[in-house]
Structures are given as C-alpha cells and as structure tokens.
Amino acid sequence: MATKIRLQRGGRKGYAFYSIVIADVRAPRDGKFTEKIGTYNPNTNPATVDLNFNRALYWVETGAQPTDTVRNILKNEGVYMMKHLRGGVKKGAFDEAACQQKFDAWKAAKDQKNNALVDAQKKSRQEEAAKALDAEKKVNETIAKKVAEKKAAEAAAKAEAEAAKAAEANTEETPAEGEAAPAEA
C-alpha cells in the first residue's frame, strides 16, 4: 500500500486548520487515514506546527511521500535533517551521539533565527504603535489649541459685551446719581 503524508482540512470557513496525517494514496483529502502525526495552523504569525517528531521520522524513513506543503513543514521541523544525519550514521561517517549533537546544534541555530525574527516583528509593531500614538498626540494638541483659541475668543467677546453693558449702565446711572436730570420743556 502506497502511503502519503498529507494535510487534512478542518476548522471553519475562512479559518482553515489542518491535521497532518498518514493516508493511503487513493483516500480523499478529508477521508480515512492511517495515523495523525500532528497539526498545522497557518492562521497564526508565524504558522503554528505541532508535530510528533519520532512518528514523522519513522514514516519518512519508511517511504511515505509527503505533499509539497507537508514536505516544507517537515523540513522546517528538522525531520529531513535527522533523516540525513541518520543516513550518515548508517554509512559509518559518525556515531549516534555525534548525529544528535549536530541535530541539536542545527535546531538551536534555527530556533535562535526564528526568535530573532519574532523579536524584530514585535519591535516593528511597537515602533508603529509609538508613531501612531505620536501622530495622535499631535492631532490632539492642534485640536486643543483650536478649542482654547475659540474659548478665549468667546470669553473675550463675552467680556467685551459685559464691559459695553457696564459702560452703558454707567452712562445711564451717572445723571441719576448726581444732579437731577434736566426737565423737558
């Protein structure tokens, strides 16, 4: 029986979530499968992969053919690197301990590279947020200046109107307070 390592779709419309499965070549995409060896979620950044490494390595060494997407996932997780290193052990190029040491060094370098990428993305998002905040502060300052100018103009106009009323009241009251107003003839 020819086997394939493929993705089996799950999730809802517009939010795909995949299981990584071992299936017969003739089985449909979401049909019967032999074994589930992991999951793949492309909706996160970076994509989340949960893989049973030992079972994936077993099936690759057994001869199961992965689809293109699954092959890329397995390469990124190091399954093909470990297969390559185990081939060197079988040929006698180095022993099992050296194989594991080389794999651990490769995995550490890959993890460091991925962490640097995630940190760079996080830093760029923080910088964008800071720029947006600064722009918003500038807009708010200009609006506050306009409001303050408008309130000052209104207060000045109100004070002017009150001064005019007070002056008018003073001119009307002045003759009444002092001497009697001239009588009309």
Side-chain angles (χ1 to χ4, degrees), residues 1-2 6 23-28:
M1 166 174 92
R6 64 165 56 140
D24 185 7
V25 174
R26 299 165 292 191

Coordinates of all heavy atoms in Angstrom, one line a residue, residues 1-2 6 23-28:
M1 N 0.9 -1.2 0.0 CA 0.0 0.0 0.0 C 0.9 1.2 0.0 O 1.8 1.4 0.9 CB -0.9 0.0 1.2 CG -1.6 1.3 1.5 SD -2.7 1.2 2.9 CE -1.7 1.6 4.3
A2 N 0.7 2.1 -1.0 CA 1.4 3.4 -1.0 C 0.8 4.4 -0.1 O -0.4 4.6 -0.1 CB 1.4 3.9 -2.5
R6 N 0.0 13.9 4.3 CA -0.8 15.0 3.7 C -1.5 15.8 4.8 O -1.5 15.4 5.9 CB -1.8 14.5 2.7 CG -2.8 13.6 3.2 CD -4.0 13.4 2.3 NE -3.6 12.9 1.0 CZ -4.2 12.0 0.3 NH1 -5.3 11.4 0.8 NH2 -3.7 11.5 -0.8
A23 N -2.0 8.7 5.1 CA -3.2 8.2 4.5 C -2.8 7.4 3.2 O -1.7 7.6 2.7 CB -4.1 9.3 4.1
D24 N -3.6 6.5 2.8 CA -3.5 5.8 1.6 C -3.5 6.8 0.4 O -4.3 7.8 0.5 CB -4.6 4.7 1.4 CG -4.4 3.9 0.2 OD1 -3.3 4.0 -0.4 OD2 -5.3 3.0 -0.1
V25 N -2.8 6.6 -0.6 CA -2.7 7.5 -1.8 C -4.1 7.6 -2.4 O -4.5 8.7 -2.8 CB -1.7 6.9 -2.8 CG1 -1.8 7.8 -4.1 CG2 -0.4 6.9 -2.3
R26 N -4.9 6.6 -2.4 CA -6.2 6.6 -3.0 C -7.3 7.3 -2.2 O -8.4 7.5 -2.7 CB -6.7 5.2 -3.4 CG -5.7 4.5 -4.4 CD -5.9 3.1 -4.4 NE -5.5 2.5 -3.1 CZ -5.4 1.2 -2.9 NH1 -5.6 0.3 -3.9 NH2 -5.0 0.8 -1.7
A27 N -7.1 7.5 -0.9 CA -8.1 8.1 0.0 C -8.3 9.6 -0.3 O -7.3 10.3 -0.7 CB -7.6 7.9 1.5
P28 N -9.5 10.1 -0.2 CA -9.7 11.5 -0.4 C -9.1 12.4 0.7 O -8.7 11.9 1.7 CB -11.2 11.6 -0.4 CG -11.7 10.4 0.3 CD -10.7 9.4 0.1

